[in-house]
Amino acid sequence: MKVALHIALVSAVLASSGCAPPTSPEVWSSPATVSARVWVTTPDRTELLTERPSVTFGAKPSDQPTIVVDSRRTYQPIDGFGASLTDSAAAALQKLAPNVRDDTMRRLFDPITGIGVSFLRQPIGSSDFTAASEHYTYDDMPAGQTDFPLHNFDISHDRLAPLPLLREAKRLNPELKIMGTPWSPPAWMKTTGSLVGGRLKDDTSVYDAYARYLVEFVRAYAASDVPIDFLSVQNEPQNRAPDAYPGTDMPVAQQVRVIEALGPKLRRASPGTRILAYDHNWATHPDDIATTPPGSPPETDYPYEVLRSPAAKWIDGTAFHCYYGDPSAQSALHTEFPDKGIWFTECSGSSSLGEPPEKVFRDTLAWHSRNVILGATRNWARSAVNWNIALDHTGGPHNGGCATCTGLITVRSDGTVTPGAEYYTIGHMAKFVRPGARRIASTSFGTTGWNGQIMDVAFRNPDGSTAVIVHNENDDPRSFAVTSGDQTFEYSLPGGALATFLWPPSKALENKLEYIPLTAATATGMPAHAPAATAIDDDASTRWTTEQPQQPGQYIDIDLGRPQIFRRLTLDSGGDLGDYARHCDVYVSDNGADWHPLAGGAGAGQLTVIDVRLAQARYLRIATTASAGNWWSLAEIALYR
């Protein structure tokens, strides 16, 4: 049905702050009172997942940078958050006194009394983090011998540890998901005859044997009451020169061959186990490119090639690590393969020799907050998984590999346990965002690379509760607001702090209007210092700005691509306080030449929410009509119907 364009006499109502004042007392009334619980961790460790007094939503608008939570806009489902209960982690935990170990397991896995770790990525055989003196797989043979029938397949090494701990973890958290990842096939399957380096032999019988080896692992773990939910076929397949620990150079063609052999076998043996491809960094590390064998391509688009291959029909998605590149690589892959999931499966904190514990905690909290729990999940990850869940006070035991890695917890020489920064970053997610949750839209001003702003991510849990995790990237305290529906609260976080806000289901906090994607829209601005497209890219960490003091005649024009019917327009000036228009007018047009006034008035804060009678327009113009010393910035313009 065609809706007439309202011009001139259209009344604009400010729901938050901005171009027009409230027109009646009803705008300020609250239909219900809802409170959000708050937990905070600070870099100086004065607060460690400490619950603060709750904060109450209200209808009074805020002039602060505002996180707008929109539960009607949904993204990826969540499988869980956690780490790896490696052989080294199991050894460290097994050394504890039974009562201390039991308490530690509860603190790790119990969703009520602990942080509720809900995802574990388990090495299939040996990794660098093993307590064994010799590296191993589940089917090792003397040099020169083979075992294609897998008669010698045996997981006895894992029966003492980690399997008992995995069963206890499943008991404490029945929602726990488990992923298996091999660091190397058995040496007799490889070109070098060694677990360290080399490739699979390019032989159909070897691909078949390796596929059956992985299926046997899944079966053996399931028979031990530890079902495997996810399986990748090689850890870091482009790490061609592992430092004295198991690793395999597995080019795309070989990964495709393995998955094609594995897919039908796994579906018959364990139809609930999903195959994940790649399991390596956001971008190919320069060292991996440098070690590419002569005559071979570096395959810097590895996950794309695998998902374009015939093996893709067996693949549920792709796994990523944090050691090179940035999380935006996940979104780029999602754009090309939207039907394939993305999981983030490894990142370790680290410390330099002699580095003060205070600095290790502060730096790890900041980097992991930005890149792992917020950056990965804002870029489509269904999990956020660190490396070792526990290590001893030396950062081990380990056999080759990383000598500076840290765990979620550290087992001290005196038998006590100390949680590290990773315990709290994962805890701020795992304890409050349950498996089956979905990420929902939320305004975020911060970046993974650091820009000193507020960064966040939001989720809707299966029980209808909402969790919003917020990180203050700045060293100084920062204030902000959170809006859900038309209700708002304000909060202030200390510099570098991480917080989780959790509130129950409430009709008062539901979004009543539908967001209109502006993916087909284009924009131009005057003055043209910054790309105007950044104001309509659904990313509040970017902005269009005048780069000069406000004055009449500055404007931004938007071509919506086609006529759009809308009843709300929001103008978000982002995280830089004061960059809102002191007075602005909004115009509409059918042809981009003849403009008609829609709304106008004085601004009062960072987020301007303009409600209008139902309107239709192809073009919008927002123009300043007053002078001010501040620049005028628009981090995001949004329309709702």
Side-chain angles (χ1 to χ4, degrees):
M1 180 179 67
K2 183 176 176 66
V3 180
L5 173 66
H6 292 271
I7 60 173
L9 298 179
V10 170
S11 62
V13 177
L14 179 67
S16 182
S17 59
C19 284
T23 57
S24 69
E26 285 74 22
V27 174
W28 299 84
S29 64
S30 175
T33 299
V34 182
S35 293
R37 297 175 69 184
V38 188
W39 291 262
V40 173
T41 296
T42 55
D44 63 4
R45 297 187 286 189
T46 57
E47 296 179 88
L48 297 170
L49 259 177
T50 302
E51 184 166 8
R52 288 182 170 187
S54 296
V55 59
T56 301
F57 282 93
K60 185 177 179 180
S62 172
D63 61 359
Q64 297 295 322
T66 301
I67 299 168
V68 178
V69 179
D70 187 351
S71 60
R72 295 185 63 165
R73 298 177 63 194
T74 60
Y75 300 88
Q76 76 275 17
I78 296 300
D79 288 309
F81 306 96
S84 294
L85 212 166
T86 60
D87 190 61
S88 295
L93 291 168
Q94 293 284 29
K95 289 180 180 179
L96 293 170
N99 63 318
V100 177
R101 182 170 59 249
D102 291 347
D103 179 66
T104 300
M105 291 293 285
R106 283 192 295 271
R107 292 175 66 187
L108 286 167
F109 294 100
D110 191 301
I112 305 302
T113 62
I115 61 171
V117 163
S118 49
F119 198 111
L120 290 174
R121 175 174 174 261
Q122 297 306 113
I124 300 174
S126 187
S127 71
D128 49 336
F129 280 92
T130 177
S133 58
E134 298 289 336
H135 289 299
Y136 61 90
T137 70
Y138 301 131
D139 198 341
D140 294 319
M141 298 296 293
Q145 296 185 30
T146 61
D147 181 26
F148 282 97
L150 304 182
H151 290 318
N152 294 301
F153 184 92
D154 188 1
I155 64 165
S156 293
H157 180 280
D158 295 3
R159 296 197 190 280
L160 293 177
L163 277 169
L165 294 170
L166 290 170
R167 286 191 289 269
E168 175 64 6
K170 289 281 288 185
R171 186 190 69 81
L172 290 166
N173 189 355
E175 294 184 306
L176 179 69
K177 300 287 194 304
I178 297 177
M179 175 182 175
T181 298
W183 266 241
S184 175
W188 55 267
M189 298 183 186
K190 299 178 70 176
T191 55
T192 56
S194 170
L195 299 183
V196 181
R199 290 182 175 181
L200 275 173
K201 295 175 182 177
D202 191 17
D203 185 293
T204 300
S205 62
V206 172
Y207 294 124
D208 179 75
Y210 188 39
R212 287 185 287 109
Y213 172 86
L214 295 174
V215 170
E216 284 303 308
F217 161 76
V218 172
R219 282 176 170 154
Y221 261 55
S224 301
D225 297 321
V226 181
I228 300 298
D229 301 284
F230 303 94
L231 181 69
S232 65
V233 301
Q234 177 57 49
N235 173 69
E236 300 184 348
Q238 294 185 299
N239 183 3
R240 301 179 178 92
D243 180 17
Y245 66 92
T248 304
D249 174 13
M250 183 176 283
V252 168
Q254 289 205 330
Q255 182 153 125
V256 168
R257 292 284 300 274
V258 170
I259 293 173
E260 287 185 308
L262 173 64
K265 294 178 176 64
L266 186 64
R267 182 165 295 177
R268 289 192 298 269
S270 181
T273 303
R274 292 179 277 179
I275 297 174
L276 306 186
Y278 189 51
D279 215 358
H280 206 171
N281 290 327
W282 288 314
T284 305
H285 197 284
D287 291 346
D288 296 337
I289 296 174
T291 56
T292 304
S296 298
E299 298 183 324
T300 54
D301 57 350
Y302 194 115
Y304 291 84
E305 291 189 50
V306 176
L307 292 180
R308 291 180 188 129
S309 77
K313 68 180 180 179
W314 303 109
I315 298 170
D316 278 88
T318 307
F320 283 93
H321 299 181
C322 75
Y323 306 115
Y324 196 73
D326 68 79
S328 65
Q330 298 175 179
S331 285
L333 189 68
H334 171 81
T335 297
E336 183 153 345
F337 302 99
D339 296 331
K340 299 295 184 181
I342 290 172
W343 286 261
F344 181 83
T345 54
E346 187 184 317
C347 192
S348 182
S350 64
S351 60
S352 301
L353 186 65
E355 199 170 32
E358 295 80 8
K359 185 177 187 303
V360 174
F361 188 95
R362 181 178 65 251
D363 292 351
T364 304
L365 181 73
W367 199 92
H368 279 245
S369 293
R370 295 198 314 270
N371 290 277
V372 178
I373 66 166
L374 301 182
T377 54
R378 285 195 71 88
N379 286 277
W380 295 96
R382 297 176 58 155
S383 63
V385 181
N386 282 37
W387 190 197
N388 292 276
I389 202 166
L391 291 173
D392 67 22
H393 65 286
T394 69
H398 67 95
N399 191 345
C402 181
T404 60
C405 289
T406 56
L408 268 65
I409 62 169
T410 300
V411 176
R412 301 293 176 189
S413 56
D414 62 0
T416 60
V417 175
T418 304
E422 292 160 275
Y423 176 88
Y424 296 105
T425 54
I426 291 296
H428 271 278
M429 281 287 202
K431 188 173 180 65
F432 309 106
V433 182
R434 305 310 307 156
R438 273 197 177 269
R439 182 167 73 89
I440 58 177
S442 63
T443 313
S444 183
F445 307 104
T447 62
T448 56
W450 192 90
N451 65 355
Q453 299 288 357
I454 292 291
M455 187 177 184
D456 66 88
V457 67
F459 303 90
R460 175 62 57 89
N461 278 309
D463 66 359
S465 63
T466 299
V468 180
I469 297 84
V470 182
H471 173 52
N472 176 11
E473 293 187 1
N474 208 288
D475 290 336
D476 296 324
R478 285 291 182 268
S479 296
F480 58 94
V482 175
T483 291
S484 186
D486 290 326
Q487 300 286 293
T488 301
F489 67 76
E490 289 186 345
Y491 211 80
S492 182
L493 280 180
L498 181 65
T500 298
F501 299 87
L502 183 71
W503 60 83
S506 170
K507 290 184 178 180
L509 303 182
E510 291 302 311
N511 301 82
K512 299 173 179 62
L513 300 180
E514 178 186 358
Y515 173 82
I516 301 172
L518 299 183
T519 50
T522 58
T524 56
M526 182 60 65
H529 297 303
T534 56
I536 55 171
D537 61 359
D538 198 22
D539 179 359
S541 70
T542 63
R543 63 174 183 164
W544 171 79
T545 182
T546 58
E547 295 188 14
Q548 64 187 49
Q550 295 177 38
Q551 58 185 5
Q554 298 167 342
Y555 65 86
I556 185 168
D557 285 353
I558 304 170
D559 178 356
L560 299 174
R562 61 184 178 86
Q564 293 282 2
I565 299 169
F566 63 96
R567 63 176 71 244
R568 174 173 289 180
L569 170 69
T570 66
L571 311 176
D572 192 335
S573 291
D576 293 309
L577 280 175
D579 277 12
Y580 61 91
R582 296 307 186 270
H583 194 285
C584 69
D585 287 338
V586 180
Y587 301 87
V588 292
S589 173
D590 289 329
N591 56 19
D594 301 312
W595 296 97
H596 310 284
L598 179 67
Q606 297 301 104
L607 180 65
T608 300
V609 180
I610 307 169
D611 286 332
V612 299
R613 294 194 184 99
L614 201 62
Q616 176 176 291
R618 164 74 183 266
Y619 298 89
L620 291 174
R621 170 173 288 180
I622 302 105
T624 56
T625 55
S627 298
N630 293 77
W631 293 1
W632 179 37
S633 299
L634 286 168
E636 203 58 42
I637 299 170
L639 290 180
Y640 298 84
R641 62 168 67 91

